[in-house]
Amino acid sequence: MASPASSVAGAGETVLTVVLAGNPNVGKSSLFTALAGVPTRVGNYPGVTVERKVGRFTHGGRAIDLVDLPGVYGLVPRSPDEQAAVDALAGRVPGMAPPDCAVVVADATNLERNLYLASQVLGLGVPVVVALTQSDVAGAEGITIDHALLAARLGCPVVPVVAPARQGIPALASAIVAAAAGPVPPAPAGLEAIAAAAGPEHSPAAREAIARYAWIERQLAGVVTRRPPAGAAAARQIDELLTHPLSGTLAFVLAMLAMFSSIYWLAAPVMDGIEAGVAALGGAVRGLLPEGPIASLLVDGILAGAGSVVVFVPQIALLFAFVALLESSGYLARAAFLMDRLLAGVGLSGRSFIPLLSSFACAIPGIMATRSIENRRDRLLTIMLAPLMSCSARLPVYLLFCGAFVPDRAVGLPFIRLPALVLLGLYALGVVVAAAVAWLLTQSVLGRSRQPFVMELPRWRWPLPGVVLRRVAEAAGSFLHNAGTLIMAVSVVIWALTTYPRDEAAIDAEVAARRGALERRIAAGTEPAAPAAELARLDTPAGLAAARRGAAQRQSFLGRAGRLVEPLVRPLGWDWRIGCAVLASFPAREVVLGTLGVLYDLGDGDDAEGGLAARLHAATWDDTGRPVFTLPVALSIMVFFALCAQCASTLVVIGRETGSAVWPVVSFLSMTLLAWVAAWLTFTVASGLVGG
């Protein structure tokens, strides 16, 4: 029975609108992907889906628009994401056809609780199908469900599925098509009488709950049988160990250390190969084309910019593979439980953890995930803290400077390397600063409130290779997409700004002035060795060419702008080129490496050959000739990127989610100021300890 409002696929064919509804963390997103074939973010903790997602597929000759809704426990919404789900089920969404069928996604291992929502959806007057997810886990835990008997009692099809393995998916699709053309199942009977018998001492909501759970008990009588599961005692002991404040925290730190250490030595051979390939490609292109602007654009602009970013794909892929393994096994949910105690200590609700955890991949879905937070104060505070979590766009910056400038020495154990510790510290920095900001705000302007956080720990399970590989492919694909579009476009713009205008007379004059200054320093007799060496280098063809390229860069549009901002960044230990790269990365921090690749691909002579790290090592200050990049400078850059709000998309989403243009401005200004101060402190302290 298709709704009159159903959309039209073409040639008069109506498209069925089918909604997926269920409690949080029951596998709706996995089922959506298995049915519609549309990859979507899945996770074994609640709050992954915060807005409707639509995917179209065809089954039995019928086109179906499948709508994945945010998780709800009932049809009385308490937060924005729950309101969106309830409106879609009730057909109250403008521009969306009322559902022709509602698929209630129920966890087979916890059927009693999941049927509460089903009992409400059965009263909406739409065809219903119940999909039992986690059916394989239920079997392993000794839970047997008589699906036919349950379907007969509910009056609607009941289909067991294992979404990641696509078991039961064709049967579920057939049941959806058949149900949409069939009768509407009956609403649960006798609820009013049970609620009335519960007595006036109970609230209306409590009486409804008593009535519905009594109805559920009747439906499940003789349907579900249980036998003691094997391995339950061992799983309980592991949970106690990993959620204990002491042993759990130690295990979490060790897991993170192992993850960050391994991505360096596992990815190194592949990264070396990519760098060699990019260098060979650049040499081949330069050999094919005559010297001039076109060759310079292709080699110094596009290849230098995009190549400087692509080299980090192996490390990003490895990091997301580890995260997917931890998530799929159920460990991240234990970590969330562990972190809830820390969040409560700084005045945050435990509900803030999932949005903040999501922000480690990208702040945008993390900010959108705050829709699951009921309290407006907690939601606003979590939105403002989410950009402080180190997202994946910051990772290439950390990897470059940790690998190039932090000494690769063992700390305690041979496999614990100092670059990995610094990398872990940068991730921790955002968390610590966010906690401090949260504590300050909740102790002053926002005040304290404490919402209970209830989270059901998923069962331990072996990660599925397909799920892990899909997550890795999504992360690497997104990164490469940025490298191929945004970063490449910015690299071309930066190349143009550093190439034009080109005044040969002005370049000759600057080189002559530099030569004269060196000769005067030698004649003065004060430390003549350094200026003598530089003058000797200036007299070689390569040295003269490098000096001319450097002069041309300084006189370009970007060079002039960079020298204007240099007084602002010089206290951080940066030269004008670092300042320009950071300014260019304010719309999107991913572009900084491409910009550095372009800026430091010019003007440093033979020493600058090799990958970006080698070119940064060879870079020198224009006025003194000393190295630009040292350990304190590298640390100050990484700390700045860890704390600064360099993402226009994130600021737009903050404005949309808060409904105000004030909060994006507050976020940008406060984080930029915080980042500058922290970078200055880092450079000053590190210079005092190890020398600048």
Side-chain angles (χ1 to χ4, degrees):
M1 181 176 66
S3 164
S6 295
S7 57
V8 177
E13 179 190 358
T14 58
V15 179
L16 296 179
T17 299
V18 177
V19 295
L20 290 181
N23 293 172
N25 199 28
V26 294
K28 290 191 310 312
S29 297
S30 295
L31 189 57
F32 175 83
T33 300
L35 275 170
V38 178
T40 186
R41 175 82 172 86
V42 298
N44 55 6
Y45 43 78
V48 172
T49 303
V50 294
E51 61 179 6
R52 295 188 307 275
K53 297 184 180 71
V54 182
R56 176 169 293 187
F57 71 102
T58 302
H59 184 80
R62 294 301 304 269
I64 300 172
D65 275 348
L66 187 67
V67 185
D68 185 18
L69 301 178
V72 291
Y73 288 104
L75 297 187
V76 180
R78 296 174 300 171
S79 57
D81 61 328
E82 292 183 353
Q83 184 67 59
V86 172
D87 288 345
L89 277 167
R92 297 194 297 257
V93 179
M96 174 183 160
D100 297 296
C101 178
V103 177
V104 177
V105 185
D107 184 348
T109 65
N110 198 347
L111 199 50
E112 182 179 19
R113 192 198 66 194
N114 283 249
L115 285 186
Y116 187 92
L117 175 64
S119 73
Q120 293 181 315
V121 176
L122 285 168
L124 292 178
V126 297
V128 174
V129 174
V130 175
L132 295 183
T133 56
Q134 305 275 4
S135 294
D136 56 336
V137 179
E141 294 189 353
I143 301 173
T144 303
I145 299 174
D146 188 335
H147 309 108
L149 179 58
L150 181 59
R153 289 182 177 175
L154 296 179
C156 66
V158 176
V159 183
V161 297
V162 181
R166 292 192 56 78
Q167 292 178 12
I169 299 303
L172 177 60
S174 298
I176 291 172
V177 174
V184 173
L191 296 180
E192 294 79 4
I194 301 174
E201 67 274 19
H202 299 290
S203 66
R207 289 199 293 273
E208 181 187 356
I210 291 171
R212 291 192 182 278
Y213 276 112
W215 176 83
I216 292 169
E217 186 177 355
R218 289 202 309 273
Q219 309 310 305
L220 294 182
V223 169
V224 179
T225 56
R226 299 174 185 272
R227 56 180 170 78
R236 188 163 52 249
Q237 290 176 347
I238 294 173
D239 281 347
E240 291 174 356
L241 181 70
L242 294 181
T243 56
H244 188 275
L246 185 59
S247 58
T249 303
L250 180 62
F252 179 78
V253 171
L254 290 177
M256 295 299 104
L257 264 179
M259 182 172 72
F260 288 129
S261 296
S262 57
I263 62 176
Y264 275 102
W265 60 268
L266 285 177
V270 183
M271 294 177 67
D272 292 342
I274 293 175
E275 280 193 340
V278 171
L281 181 60
V285 172
R286 200 182 288 278
L288 289 174
L289 297 174
E291 191 70 26
I294 300 299
S296 177
L297 170 63
L298 291 176
V299 178
D300 301 326
I302 295 175
L303 283 177
S308 301
V309 179
V310 172
V311 71
F312 293 101
V313 168
Q315 288 178 317
I316 289 175
L318 277 172
L319 177 66
F320 277 88
F322 281 115
V323 171
L325 287 171
L326 294 175
E327 183 179 298
S328 300
S329 67
Y331 176 72
L332 279 191
R334 272 78 184 173
F337 179 82
L338 192 68
M339 294 298 116
D340 177 50
R341 300 188 182 102
L342 299 178
L343 289 175
V346 298
L348 272 174
S349 162
R351 287 179 175 272
S352 300
F353 179 79
I354 298 304
L356 295 179
L357 179 66
S358 301
S359 298
F360 279 105
C362 176
I364 292 174
I367 291 170
M368 293 173 65
T370 62
R371 295 176 187 177
S372 62
I373 301 176
E374 303 162 22
N375 184 283
R376 179 170 173 75
R377 184 217 73 140
D378 287 357
R379 183 165 183 249
L380 175 62
L381 182 56
T382 307
I383 287 174
M384 299 302 288
L385 296 180
L388 285 169
M389 303 299 109
S390 280
C391 64
S392 58
R394 291 173 167 112
L395 182 60
V397 181
Y398 298 164
L399 293 172
L400 170 66
F401 288 103
C402 281
F405 297 101
V406 177
D408 184 19
R409 64 176 65 135
V411 180
L413 299 173
F415 66 88
I416 299 179
R417 315 300 295 182
L418 186 56
L421 273 180
V422 173
L423 184 59
L424 177 60
L426 290 164
Y427 275 82
L429 176 65
V431 176
V432 171
V433 171
V437 172
W439 184 83
L440 284 172
L441 292 178
T442 54
Q443 294 295 320
S444 54
V445 294
L446 293 180
R448 292 181 69 92
S449 71
R450 175 63 174 153
Q451 277 194 297
F453 177 53
V454 179
M455 180 178 180
E456 183 179 355
L457 294 182
R459 290 152 187 83
W460 291 102
R461 60 186 307 165
W462 290 106
L464 296 172
V467 174
V468 175
L469 291 176
R470 189 164 56 243
R471 182 79 186 278
V472 171
E474 289 171 2
S478 173
F479 188 71
L480 284 174
H481 176 75
N482 284 338
T485 55
L486 176 65
I487 295 171
M488 186 175 293
V490 172
S491 296
V492 171
V493 172
I494 295 297
W495 169 84
L497 292 175
T498 55
T499 303
Y500 299 103
R502 186 176 179 89
D503 185 338
E504 297 294 341
I507 293 172
D508 290 339
E510 182 173 329
V511 172
R514 181 64 184 160
R515 183 186 297 277
L518 291 172
E519 290 171 346
R520 287 192 295 274
R521 287 173 60 189
I522 295 172
T526 305
E527 297 182 356
E534 188 174 348
L535 185 61
R537 186 167 178 267
L538 194 59
D539 287 333
T540 65
L544 179 60
R548 289 181 58 80
R549 286 196 295 269
Q553 201 178 60
R554 284 187 291 276
Q555 293 174 12
S556 66
F557 290 124
L558 194 65
R560 296 172 189 176
R563 280 180 287 176
L564 287 177
V565 302
E566 190 170 23
L568 290 176
V569 300
R570 193 136 185 160
L572 311 182
W574 306 353
D575 73 346
W576 66 269
R577 287 173 291 189
I578 302 176
C580 284
V582 172
L583 281 180
S585 66
F586 267 96
R589 53 177 65 89
E590 293 97 323
V591 306
V592 67
L593 296 188
T595 306
L596 287 173
V598 175
L599 288 172
Y600 288 100
D601 200 48
L602 305 173
D604 287 302
D606 296 336
D607 293 340
E609 296 297 330
L612 179 57
R615 299 200 299 274
L616 297 185
H617 271 291
T620 56
W621 284 85
D622 293 334
D623 51 356
T624 64
R626 61 187 172 85
V628 173
F629 291 91
T630 59
L631 177 59
V633 172
L635 291 174
S636 74
I637 292 173
M638 289 189 286
V639 167
F640 186 89
F641 272 79
L643 301 177
C644 191
Q646 297 161 291
C647 182
S649 300
T650 297
L651 297 174
V652 169
V653 172
I654 290 176
R656 191 184 71 186
E657 294 297 313
T658 59
S660 168
V662 173
W663 293 112
V665 174
V666 170
S667 178
F668 175 77
L669 293 178
S670 61
M671 287 184 65
T672 302
L673 178 62
L674 177 66
W676 192 95
V677 172
W680 174 76
L681 281 173
T682 301
F683 175 73
T684 304
V685 172
S687 296
L689 293 175
V690 302

